[in-house]
Amino acid sequence: MNRRSKESDSKLLLGVLTGSPLNNGKSEEQQEKNLTPKYDSKESNESNSNSNFLLADSDVIPPIKSPNLDPCTAINPLTNGFFDLRSLSSMNLNDGSVSAWNARGYDYNMNFTLGMCSSPLKKQNIQPGDFDQVTNTSLIGGFYTDQEGVKYSIGEYSTAPVFRGRKLTLTYTNGSFCEKTSTGEAWRKSTILSFTCDRELMAKAQISFVGVLHDCDYFFEVRTVHACPTAAKSDNLALVWIFLIIFLAALMVYCGAGTLYKKAILGRRGWRQLPSYSIVRNFKAAFGSNGSVSK
């Protein structure tokens, strides 16, 4: 028996003992190539592209259900902070006055008048020829006056502030008509107010004109302390009730434990077994029956 036959017999015996497949006269590289699974390149690319868009159940963010809120208030869905802008509006003014805020346009050569969740206009101040393109002037949330003295609306006010990420915004739409586009479409002016929390501002609010796009969309920044998170009124009332319940529970524990201690350990009877009886006795001894201080 030659050397090659011995090597083949030893490999055959090793394959039987280990359960590995035989080479069948093929080289190791050819065998590994045959054992490597084959995939269709088109199917693999499609599976890889589809796997990039698959999300686990834990990664899917459920839709946030906004609770029933009062007008001009909002809750940050990221921090659950409560925001109340009603102090900047004329919603709670019952004397017929309005809350109007002015912003300089600087290089735009126009000055703006804005209302927060309300209209900055009084009906008696509207002159003939103003806001010809607006059907309901009582809904105007902001306007400007051009060089000829004609007033234009930059949107109807809204009472629903919305969070865009971490920014509190208020959007006014359906203002006066903008200039017609190349396609002949007639768009209406709109406004976006972006609120920023500023606790160091001495004034109630400060409005800055940021910019305008195509003489149609206007952007403003409002810095105010009212854009800072606060507690809702219902939450304040709940905190008061919680404090009262804790105080009453502590008072009951103090009276019960003190009475039990004086009765069981000190052997006191009657009013003497009440806690702080000595304080009441000294107070009664200090003042007479007619309320005068005894010497």
Side-chain angles (χ1 to χ4, degrees):
M1 185 179 293
N2 55 14
R3 183 177 180 181
R4 181 174 297 178
S5 61
K6 290 181 179 180
E7 290 179 356
S8 61
D9 293 338
S10 61
K11 290 182 179 180
L12 178 61
L13 180 60
L14 181 61
V16 172
L17 294 176
T18 58
S20 60
L22 301 178
N23 291 341
N24 295 329
K26 296 182 180 179
S27 62
E28 294 180 357
E29 294 180 357
Q30 292 177 351
Q31 186 179 8
E32 291 178 358
K33 186 176 181 180
N34 293 332
L35 293 176
T36 303
K38 296 181 180 180
Y39 298 97
D40 188 1
S41 59
K42 184 177 181 180
E43 293 179 357
S44 62
N45 292 333
E46 291 179 357
S47 61
N48 292 332
S49 61
N50 293 332
S51 62
N52 293 332
F53 295 96
L54 294 178
L55 294 176
D57 294 338
S58 59
D59 296 334
V60 178
I61 301 176
I64 300 175
K65 297 181 180 180
S66 57
N68 295 327
L69 298 175
D70 294 332
C72 211
T73 61
I75 291 180
N76 190 338
L78 300 177
T79 61
N80 290 328
F82 179 76
F83 294 79
D84 191 352
L85 303 177
R86 288 175 291 186
S87 299
L88 303 177
S89 68
S90 56
M91 298 174 57
N92 299 328
L93 300 179
N94 299 323
D95 54 356
S97 60
V98 295
S99 180
W101 302 90
N102 298 322
R104 296 184 60 184
Y106 295 102
D107 56 338
Y108 190 65
N109 297 325
M110 302 290 179
N111 293 329
F112 301 90
T113 303
L114 297 168
M116 304 296 170
C117 301
S118 58
S119 178
L121 284 171
K122 291 183 178 180
K123 293 183 179 180
Q124 58 269 24
N125 294 337
I126 300 177
Q127 302 297 329
D130 294 338
F131 312 110
D132 289 338
Q133 302 170 347
V134 178
T135 56
N136 191 353
T137 56
S138 62
L139 298 178
I140 294 176
F143 67 93
Y144 68 88
T145 306
D146 64 1
Q147 298 177 355
E148 297 178 357
V150 181
K151 293 182 175 63
Y152 293 90
S153 170
I154 57 176
E156 297 179 352
Y157 70 86
S158 172
T159 59
V162 177
F163 270 93
R164 307 293 182 186
R166 296 184 179 273
K167 274 292 185 180
L168 180 62
T169 62
L170 196 61
T171 303
Y172 296 168
T173 58
N174 199 25
S176 300
F177 283 106
C178 309
E179 295 182 1
K180 292 185 178 181
T181 61
S182 58
T183 58
E185 297 179 357
W187 294 348
R188 287 187 176 271
K189 296 180 182 293
S190 60
T191 299
I192 294 180
L193 303 174
S194 177
F195 293 86
T196 302
C197 174
D198 192 344
R199 300 183 186 274
E200 299 180 356
L201 188 65
M202 300 299 296
K204 200 173 183 180
Q206 182 179 0
I207 303 178
S208 302
F209 173 68
V210 178
V212 59
L213 183 63
H214 304 309
D215 285 335
C216 196
D217 301 316
Y218 301 86
F219 303 91
F220 297 88
E221 181 187 20
V222 183
R223 305 185 69 88
T224 176
V225 68
H226 298 286
C228 302
T230 182
K233 294 182 179 180
S234 58
D235 294 340
N236 291 334
L237 186 60
L239 291 176
V240 172
W241 281 109
I242 291 174
F243 175 78
L244 289 177
I245 292 174
I246 294 175
F247 175 77
L248 293 177
L251 183 62
M252 292 176 62
V253 171
Y254 171 75
C255 294
T259 302
L260 183 62
Y261 172 77
K262 286 191 173 183
K263 183 177 181 180
I265 305 300
L266 302 180
R268 302 292 175 83
R269 296 292 183 270
W271 292 101
R272 295 179 179 274
Q273 64 183 350
L274 295 178
S276 303
Y277 172 74
S278 59
I279 298 177
V280 177
R281 183 183 60 184
N282 295 333
F283 181 80
K284 185 177 180 180
F287 292 89
S289 60
N290 56 356
S292 60
V293 179
S294 61
K295 297 182 180 179

